[in-house]
Amino acid sequence: MAERGTQAALHLADGKGVTFQQLDADARAIKPAGGLILAQGDVPDILRALLAGFLHGIPVQLVEKDRQRRVPAVPVPPGTALIKQTVGGTGLRRCQFFTFDQIAADVDRLHKALDLGARGVGVAAISCAHSFGLTITVLQTLLHGVATCFAPQPFAQPLMEAMKQHARVFLPGVPALWKAWLMGEVGFGNVSLALSAGSPLTLDLERLAFEKHGLKIHNLYGTSECGTVSWDESPVLRTDARDVGSILPGVQVRKEDDGRLTVMSSSVGLGYDETLPNERYGDGLFTTCDQIEPCGGRLFFERSVGDGINVAGRKLSPGEIASKIRRAVDLPSLTIRGATSRDPERCQDIVAELDLPQSAIDAEFKTRACALLAPWEVPRKWIGRKNDA
């Protein structure tokens, strides 16, 4: 604080800044209630809540702006500093528990491997309630003094307005956003490091950024449960779309008999609030839902075998979507699943399979069925009974 107190910790869209001293004062003024602090809202809200929890030694629970808090199904484990609630690869929304040391291990590993202290300001254009956005921006601010620039909307114009205030920035995104930014004529002249995670980065999109702007987008792979596992550090274009980069120092992996990747590192969390049969998560080890081939110190992503649906980097629960549709239209039989999208940056589309004649699934029915869904939860394909008689 003595070194950076008067410097800006957070740059706002209107050009104003919040210093480390102001952030510290705001965080200390927060009065914890109910044994935890809720971190929900925009970047400034999340920063203050996280710091308040760390200062008071009280767990912080991250919740997206458009979600309700999930109450953990078990007592919060001793030593918990952070609670994430996320769908993940399994397709079930659950809480994950982390100690401060586990969180710091992931933040420190990324900071060193990506040399973030020399990259300028981190641009928060993606949600900081998601693991990638959290670790690569606001936690870098709190643990390493790397200032965050808040872009209130991830669209081309607000992003450019936010970035133009700074000589150098590093820009994390998901493939769907990178596609939109490249199509939206965003200027990347001051971007020192471009990062992509959340869903597979295609060779075509990587090549487009390189040919159009001389910008190399670096692919990362990780999970909410264990943090970042690998990153593509190369300055040249990949030749294999499965390549998700080199395994980070301090991380060990092994391929299980079913092809899934198990990760062993100091950033693996304590565990879930509800555990499925045969799951392995905790004690420094996590078995993912992803089939990945380790080869020569690099990882090659084959496929995800979990039930979670990945729509443009946002992990969705089939069960939650099905429950909302049933409440809206009282359907006795309904299956929600993910299917490969024709838009590779979207990753997957949501498919609804119903025990209704196809002719009954008209525009009026879909409007009623989707009444309780968020826009990103709406199925793109509706399949009724083959026999429409």
PDB file of all heavy atoms in Angstrom, residues 6 8 14 33 82 147 178 208 224 238 245 285 299 302 328 331 337 347 370 377 379:
ATOM      1  N   THR A   6      -1.350   5.637  -4.003  1.00  0.00           N
ATOM      2  CA  THR A   6      -1.953   6.719  -4.783  1.00  0.00           C
ATOM      3  C   THR A   6      -2.111   6.377  -6.266  1.00  0.00           C
ATOM      4  O   THR A   6      -2.637   7.178  -7.025  1.00  0.00           O
ATOM      5  CB  THR A   6      -1.105   7.995  -4.652  1.00  0.00           C
ATOM      6  OG1 THR A   6       0.225   7.736  -5.121  1.00  0.00           O
ATOM      7  CG2 THR A   6      -1.057   8.464  -3.206  1.00  0.00           C
ATOM      8  N   ALA A   8      -3.585   4.201  -9.546  1.00  0.00           N
ATOM      9  CA  ALA A   8      -4.902   3.675  -9.896  1.00  0.00           C
ATOM     10  C   ALA A   8      -4.889   2.154  -9.878  1.00  0.00           C
ATOM     11  O   ALA A   8      -4.069   1.511 -10.537  1.00  0.00           O
ATOM     12  CB  ALA A   8      -5.330   4.174 -11.260  1.00  0.00           C
ATOM     13  N   ASP A  14     -15.325   6.103 -17.746  1.00  0.00           N
ATOM     14  CA  ASP A  14     -15.421   7.558 -17.918  1.00  0.00           C
ATOM     15  C   ASP A  14     -14.074   8.261 -17.764  1.00  0.00           C
ATOM     16  O   ASP A  14     -14.006   9.490 -17.738  1.00  0.00           O
ATOM     17  CB  ASP A  14     -16.434   8.150 -16.940  1.00  0.00           C
ATOM     18  CG  ASP A  14     -16.076   7.879 -15.478  1.00  0.00           C
ATOM     19  OD1 ASP A  14     -14.986   7.325 -15.220  1.00  0.00           O
ATOM     20  OD2 ASP A  14     -16.889   8.217 -14.596  1.00  0.00           O
ATOM     21  N   ALA A  33     -21.874  -9.835   6.724  1.00  0.00           N
ATOM     22  CA  ALA A  33     -23.111 -10.287   7.354  1.00  0.00           C
ATOM     23  C   ALA A  33     -23.335 -11.752   6.983  1.00  0.00           C
ATOM     24  O   ALA A  33     -23.144 -12.150   5.841  1.00  0.00           O
ATOM     25  CB  ALA A  33     -24.295  -9.435   6.884  1.00  0.00           C
ATOM     26  N   LEU A  82     -12.658 -18.369  -0.814  1.00  0.00           N
ATOM     27  CA  LEU A  82     -13.451 -18.055  -2.003  1.00  0.00           C
ATOM     28  C   LEU A  82     -14.385 -19.215  -2.329  1.00  0.00           C
ATOM     29  O   LEU A  82     -13.981 -20.387  -2.283  1.00  0.00           O
ATOM     30  CB  LEU A  82     -12.533 -17.788  -3.199  1.00  0.00           C
ATOM     31  CG  LEU A  82     -13.222 -17.336  -4.495  1.00  0.00           C
ATOM     32  CD1 LEU A  82     -13.815 -15.937  -4.333  1.00  0.00           C
ATOM     33  CD2 LEU A  82     -12.239 -17.352  -5.667  1.00  0.00           C
ATOM     34  N   ALA A 147      -2.982  -2.968 -12.574  1.00  0.00           N
ATOM     35  CA  ALA A 147      -4.239  -2.230 -12.676  1.00  0.00           C
ATOM     36  C   ALA A 147      -5.192  -2.897 -13.662  1.00  0.00           C
ATOM     37  O   ALA A 147      -4.777  -3.498 -14.655  1.00  0.00           O
ATOM     38  CB  ALA A 147      -3.974  -0.797 -13.099  1.00  0.00           C
ATOM     39  N   TRP A 178     -13.686 -12.579 -29.524  1.00  0.00           N
ATOM     40  CA  TRP A 178     -12.602 -12.241 -30.450  1.00  0.00           C
ATOM     41  C   TRP A 178     -13.107 -12.141 -31.877  1.00  0.00           C
ATOM     42  O   TRP A 178     -12.699 -11.257 -32.634  1.00  0.00           O
ATOM     43  CB  TRP A 178     -11.480 -13.291 -30.345  1.00  0.00           C
ATOM     44  CG  TRP A 178     -10.541 -13.003 -29.218  1.00  0.00           C
ATOM     45  CD1 TRP A 178     -10.391 -13.704 -28.062  1.00  0.00           C
ATOM     46  CD2 TRP A 178      -9.628 -11.904 -29.142  1.00  0.00           C
ATOM     47  NE1 TRP A 178      -9.448 -13.111 -27.264  1.00  0.00           N
ATOM     48  CE2 TRP A 178      -8.952 -12.006 -27.900  1.00  0.00           C
ATOM     49  CE3 TRP A 178      -9.314 -10.850 -29.987  1.00  0.00           C
ATOM     50  CZ2 TRP A 178      -7.979 -11.090 -27.507  1.00  0.00           C
ATOM     51  CZ3 TRP A 178      -8.344  -9.937 -29.585  1.00  0.00           C
ATOM     52  CH2 TRP A 178      -7.688 -10.056 -28.363  1.00  0.00           C
ATOM     53  N   LEU A 208      -6.874 -15.049 -38.790  1.00  0.00           N
ATOM     54  CA  LEU A 208      -7.495 -13.773 -39.144  1.00  0.00           C
ATOM     55  C   LEU A 208      -6.899 -12.633 -38.321  1.00  0.00           C
ATOM     56  O   LEU A 208      -6.558 -11.570 -38.870  1.00  0.00           O
ATOM     57  CB  LEU A 208      -9.005 -13.845 -38.916  1.00  0.00           C
ATOM     58  CG  LEU A 208      -9.797 -12.556 -39.145  1.00  0.00           C
ATOM     59  CD1 LEU A 208      -9.701 -12.110 -40.601  1.00  0.00           C
ATOM     60  CD2 LEU A 208     -11.260 -12.740 -38.726  1.00  0.00           C
ATOM     61  N   SER A 224     -12.416 -24.254 -13.827  1.00  0.00           N
ATOM     62  CA  SER A 224     -12.717 -23.498 -12.614  1.00  0.00           C
ATOM     63  C   SER A 224     -12.176 -24.212 -11.381  1.00  0.00           C
ATOM     64  O   SER A 224     -11.709 -23.579 -10.430  1.00  0.00           O
ATOM     65  CB  SER A 224     -14.234 -23.317 -12.490  1.00  0.00           C
ATOM     66  OG  SER A 224     -14.578 -22.647 -11.313  1.00  0.00           O
ATOM     67  N   ARG A 238      -0.431 -21.574 -34.553  1.00  0.00           N
ATOM     68  CA  ARG A 238      -0.503 -23.022 -34.374  1.00  0.00           C
ATOM     69  C   ARG A 238      -0.830 -23.702 -35.707  1.00  0.00           C
ATOM     70  O   ARG A 238      -1.428 -23.089 -36.595  1.00  0.00           O
ATOM     71  CB  ARG A 238      -1.590 -23.387 -33.363  1.00  0.00           C
ATOM     72  CG  ARG A 238      -1.366 -22.900 -31.942  1.00  0.00           C
ATOM     73  CD  ARG A 238      -2.610 -23.158 -31.095  1.00  0.00           C
ATOM     74  NE  ARG A 238      -3.773 -22.478 -31.661  1.00  0.00           N
ATOM     75  CZ  ARG A 238      -5.029 -22.886 -31.541  1.00  0.00           C
ATOM     76  NH1 ARG A 238      -5.309 -23.988 -30.878  1.00  0.00           N
ATOM     77  NH2 ARG A 238      -6.021 -22.201 -32.094  1.00  0.00           N
ATOM     78  N   GLY A 245      -1.496 -25.613 -25.826  1.00  0.00           N
ATOM     79  CA  GLY A 245      -0.288 -25.027 -25.266  1.00  0.00           C
ATOM     80  C   GLY A 245       0.501 -25.909 -24.326  1.00  0.00           C
ATOM     81  O   GLY A 245       0.206 -27.089 -24.109  1.00  0.00           O
ATOM     82  N   LEU A 285      -5.795 -32.711  -6.427  1.00  0.00           N
ATOM     83  CA  LEU A 285      -6.030 -33.494  -7.644  1.00  0.00           C
ATOM     84  C   LEU A 285      -7.440 -33.259  -8.171  1.00  0.00           C
ATOM     85  O   LEU A 285      -8.398 -33.203  -7.409  1.00  0.00           O
ATOM     86  CB  LEU A 285      -5.817 -34.972  -7.332  1.00  0.00           C
ATOM     87  CG  LEU A 285      -5.985 -36.003  -8.449  1.00  0.00           C
ATOM     88  CD1 LEU A 285      -5.020 -37.173  -8.205  1.00  0.00           C
ATOM     89  CD2 LEU A 285      -7.418 -36.536  -8.502  1.00  0.00           C
ATOM     90  N   LEU A 299      -0.486 -29.938 -24.410  1.00  0.00           N
ATOM     91  CA  LEU A 299      -1.779 -30.604 -24.305  1.00  0.00           C
ATOM     92  C   LEU A 299      -2.548 -30.439 -25.601  1.00  0.00           C
ATOM     93  O   LEU A 299      -2.545 -29.356 -26.208  1.00  0.00           O
ATOM     94  CB  LEU A 299      -2.582 -30.027 -23.146  1.00  0.00           C
ATOM     95  CG  LEU A 299      -1.996 -30.201 -21.739  1.00  0.00           C
ATOM     96  CD1 LEU A 299      -2.928 -29.588 -20.701  1.00  0.00           C
ATOM     97  CD2 LEU A 299      -1.742 -31.670 -21.430  1.00  0.00           C
ATOM     98  N   GLU A 302      -9.145 -33.009 -27.205  1.00  0.00           N
ATOM     99  CA  GLU A 302      -9.922 -33.822 -28.133  1.00  0.00           C
ATOM    100  C   GLU A 302     -11.409 -33.495 -28.064  1.00  0.00           C
ATOM    101  O   GLU A 302     -12.025 -33.122 -29.059  1.00  0.00           O
ATOM    102  CB  GLU A 302      -9.698 -35.315 -27.837  1.00  0.00           C
ATOM    103  CG  GLU A 302      -8.249 -35.776 -27.953  1.00  0.00           C
ATOM    104  CD  GLU A 302      -7.758 -35.788 -29.393  1.00  0.00           C
ATOM    105  OE1 GLU A 302      -8.579 -35.671 -30.322  1.00  0.00           O
ATOM    106  OE2 GLU A 302      -6.529 -35.906 -29.596  1.00  0.00           O
ATOM    107  N   ALA A 328     -42.665 -23.406 -17.431  1.00  0.00           N
ATOM    108  CA  ALA A 328     -43.365 -22.468 -18.313  1.00  0.00           C
ATOM    109  C   ALA A 328     -44.499 -23.126 -19.086  1.00  0.00           C
ATOM    110  O   ALA A 328     -45.545 -22.500 -19.319  1.00  0.00           O
ATOM    111  CB  ALA A 328     -42.372 -21.836 -19.288  1.00  0.00           C
ATOM    112  N   LEU A 331     -44.421 -29.474 -19.409  1.00  0.00           N
ATOM    113  CA  LEU A 331     -44.131 -30.607 -20.291  1.00  0.00           C
ATOM    114  C   LEU A 331     -43.774 -31.840 -19.467  1.00  0.00           C
ATOM    115  O   LEU A 331     -42.939 -31.769 -18.570  1.00  0.00           O
ATOM    116  CB  LEU A 331     -42.963 -30.282 -21.216  1.00  0.00           C
ATOM    117  CG  LEU A 331     -43.270 -29.438 -22.447  1.00  0.00           C
ATOM    118  CD1 LEU A 331     -41.977 -29.114 -23.167  1.00  0.00           C
ATOM    119  CD2 LEU A 331     -44.208 -30.180 -23.385  1.00  0.00           C
ATOM    120  N   ARG A 337     -29.928 -30.937 -24.478  1.00  0.00           N
ATOM    121  CA  ARG A 337     -28.543 -31.367 -24.690  1.00  0.00           C
ATOM    122  C   ARG A 337     -27.823 -30.343 -25.558  1.00  0.00           C
ATOM    123  O   ARG A 337     -28.447 -29.455 -26.164  1.00  0.00           O
ATOM    124  CB  ARG A 337     -28.496 -32.743 -25.365  1.00  0.00           C
ATOM    125  CG  ARG A 337     -29.183 -32.799 -26.727  1.00  0.00           C
ATOM    126  CD  ARG A 337     -29.078 -34.184 -27.343  1.00  0.00           C
ATOM    127  NE  ARG A 337     -29.828 -34.276 -28.584  1.00  0.00           N
ATOM    128  CZ  ARG A 337     -29.356 -33.924 -29.782  1.00  0.00           C
ATOM    129  NH1 ARG A 337     -28.109 -33.427 -29.879  1.00  0.00           N
ATOM    130  NH2 ARG A 337     -30.087 -34.057 -30.877  1.00  0.00           N
ATOM    131  N   CYS A 347     -19.327 -22.692 -30.416  1.00  0.00           N
ATOM    132  CA  CYS A 347     -18.998 -23.995 -29.834  1.00  0.00           C
ATOM    133  C   CYS A 347     -20.185 -24.955 -29.891  1.00  0.00           C
ATOM    134  O   CYS A 347     -20.172 -25.903 -30.666  1.00  0.00           O
ATOM    135  CB  CYS A 347     -18.466 -23.861 -28.410  1.00  0.00           C
ATOM    136  SG  CYS A 347     -17.649 -25.354 -27.792  1.00  0.00           S
ATOM    137  N   CYS A 370     -40.002 -20.425 -23.595  1.00  0.00           N
ATOM    138  CA  CYS A 370     -38.766 -19.702 -23.276  1.00  0.00           C
ATOM    139  C   CYS A 370     -38.978 -18.527 -22.332  1.00  0.00           C
ATOM    140  O   CYS A 370     -38.042 -17.758 -22.088  1.00  0.00           O
ATOM    141  CB  CYS A 370     -38.106 -19.201 -24.568  1.00  0.00           C
ATOM    142  SG  CYS A 370     -37.593 -20.528 -25.675  1.00  0.00           S
ATOM    143  N   GLU A 377     -29.878 -19.094 -22.914  1.00  0.00           N
ATOM    144  CA  GLU A 377     -30.376 -20.429 -22.595  1.00  0.00           C
ATOM    145  C   GLU A 377     -31.412 -20.926 -23.601  1.00  0.00           C
ATOM    146  O   GLU A 377     -31.853 -22.074 -23.508  1.00  0.00           O
ATOM    147  CB  GLU A 377     -31.011 -20.431 -21.199  1.00  0.00           C
ATOM    148  CG  GLU A 377     -30.035 -20.182 -20.059  1.00  0.00           C
ATOM    149  CD  GLU A 377     -30.720 -20.108 -18.713  1.00  0.00           C
ATOM    150  OE1 GLU A 377     -31.817 -19.505 -18.622  1.00  0.00           O
ATOM    151  OE2 GLU A 377     -30.157 -20.638 -17.733  1.00  0.00           O
ATOM    152  N   PRO A 379     -33.065 -22.605 -26.639  1.00  0.00           N
ATOM    153  CA  PRO A 379     -32.658 -23.623 -27.615  1.00  0.00           C
ATOM    154  C   PRO A 379     -32.688 -23.078 -29.048  1.00  0.00           C
ATOM    155  O   PRO A 379     -33.572 -22.304 -29.410  1.00  0.00           O
ATOM    156  CB  PRO A 379     -33.705 -24.728 -27.441  1.00  0.00           C
ATOM    157  CG  PRO A 379     -34.210 -24.551 -26.037  1.00  0.00           C
ATOM    158  CD  PRO A 379     -34.203 -23.070 -25.817  1.00  0.00           C
TER     159      PRO A 379
END
